[in-house]
Amino acid sequence: MDQGPPTAPVDLGPNTYVFDPSMPAERIQAVLDEVFARQETAQFGPGRVALLFKPGRYAVDANIGFFTSIAGLVLSPDDTVIDGRVRVEADWFDGNATHNFWRGAENLAVQPPDGWDRWAVSQAAPYRRMHLRGSVRLWDGRDGWASGGFFADTVIDGEVLSGTQQQWLSRNCEFGQWTGANWNMVFVGVHGAPAPGFPDPAHTVIERTPVVREKPFLYVDADGAFAVLVPDPRTDSTGTSWAHGPTPGRSLPLADFYVATPGTTAADLNAALAQGRHLLLTPGVYEIDTTVEVTRPGTVVLGIGLPTLVPVGGAVPLRLADADGIIVAGVMFDAGPEQSPLLMEVGPPGSRRSHAADPISLHDVFFRIGGTGPGRAETSLAINSSDVICDHTWIWRADHGDGCGWDVNPAATGLVVDGADVTCYGLFVEHFQATEVLWRGERGRTYFFQNEKPYDPPHQQAWLDGDVRGFPAYRVADGVAEHEAWGLGSYCFFQADPGVVNERSFQVPEVPGVRLRHVVIVSLGGVGTIANAVNDRGGPADRDTWVRHLVA
């Protein structure tokens, strides 16, 4: 590939571009355009790219395609300014943004020339730690649908115009104004959030974020050395971590990291971890033939450019110990053709330690079963440890691409939670064949859930939970005494057999401590039926009434 700018002073792999303000804008723009031309339609391709900007100002236009991440190498977003746009369009799909997955922007200030930018995305496209000195449209600006999305730790000076976006989570942001609602817009710890009004408009507003750690990020210090800032956890927070002063946290020199590049093996990663090093995974696809074991408290596994772990021979690619402060961020898992029992495990079964003072956290961790060919995994993510923060994940059994079909990419469950006091922000889980989220731990909390049922049950008899029609998207197990969730959406589109019925999207114990607030069920285009939203209440969504809301 055309290497464009000079390589970084450290080897960040062949798919990482590092820019500095001394480079001619025309040269930088040529690289951005070449990367976008390769990645615009590469939904299931092997390309992975990181575009990194050192402190300074850049008069460029960055159109962000699949598997491309753009970021500033700075401690404050305002130290790297794009005098132009950082945008996502839907032109390649005729204005339909519902396939605009797997990309991201973080740690930049953007000053669009006419005051408007566009971030027309769906799942797995985070916009983090950004300062938009203007306004943004979250769809193509015409009539194309979009199915996002996620803002975190971001300031938008002007207006957020959501348009046709079906749903969105904004966490710890500061907006000049938010305009628009469709099915499920959730705001947690946001200054400038709209007034609550669910279901009309479908705004769910939670004043404070109970506990969160922002995602670690790569930066260049005053001496030009690369380092990683690991933000401290925050409790009962509102607004961003950076707009009113430096982000509290610890700085780790890049020398403390093993920098993985395409071709790095699981044995290499385990050897580095055994030496007490953190991991920086650069853009690429990594075949993992044995489990990578993270055991040391405080270990950081940070990906740039969405590095993707593919299990070989049914391996479990990543396991974390039940240890304080382990962080995994910016990593994707893509199931292989031989079935894996799990793709990622947080703590072994039976974990009981408290991590309240130093939580384990996951940020922008994504899972895919099928799409690039037949993939198989029984469960994608198992959280056995307590006090885990899951800060944005998309867990997806593919409904399109190569290797898709009821018996071709089998996958029962997206997420199983057995740990106590686990908190999820931006939980997207779609198309699994059995219970999609199973929550058995106490005092769980979910802020925003988005789900689509499997599109492909061939007929009702193929999709039964005992004698019950279909499986819940989100189940809190019998015996759980406390669980809370806000802003939950579940949709069906039973295209293989529109006569298929799902009995309920959400199944929970009928006890005072278990509460789901602001639930929506949708029959997309009236294709299929969800009989009830929660247990035996709140339905149906079907060909006659496509959308149903349940407030309590």
Side-chain angles (χ1 to χ4, degrees), residues 208-285:
R208 293 182 174 275
T209 304
V211 58
V212 75
R213 172 190 279 120
E214 298 299 340
K215 180 183 176 184
F217 56 91
L218 191 65
Y219 74 99
V220 175
D221 68 17
D223 297 321
F226 282 79
V228 172
L229 195 284
V230 181
D232 292 338
R234 296 194 287 164
T235 58
D236 295 320
S237 62
T238 64
T240 70
S241 67
W242 57 267
H244 308 288
T247 300
R250 59 189 171 116
S251 184
L252 303 173
L254 195 61
D256 289 354
F257 285 76
Y258 177 83
V259 180
T261 58
T264 296
T265 67
D268 297 330
L269 298 175
N270 279 323
L273 291 165
Q275 295 168 2
R277 303 185 71 182
H278 306 281
L279 301 180
L280 179 69
L281 307 180
T282 68
V285 177

Side-chain angles (χ1 to χ4, degrees), residues 302-342:
L302 176 62
I304 57 173
L306 270 181
T308 301
L309 308 185
V310 179
V312 175
V316 176
L318 184 63
R319 282 192 163 106
L320 311 184
D322 187 29
D324 281 354
I326 295 175
I327 300 171
V328 178
V331 179
M332 181 165 170
F333 299 81
D334 203 353
E338 297 181 53
Q339 179 163 296
S340 295
L342 287 167

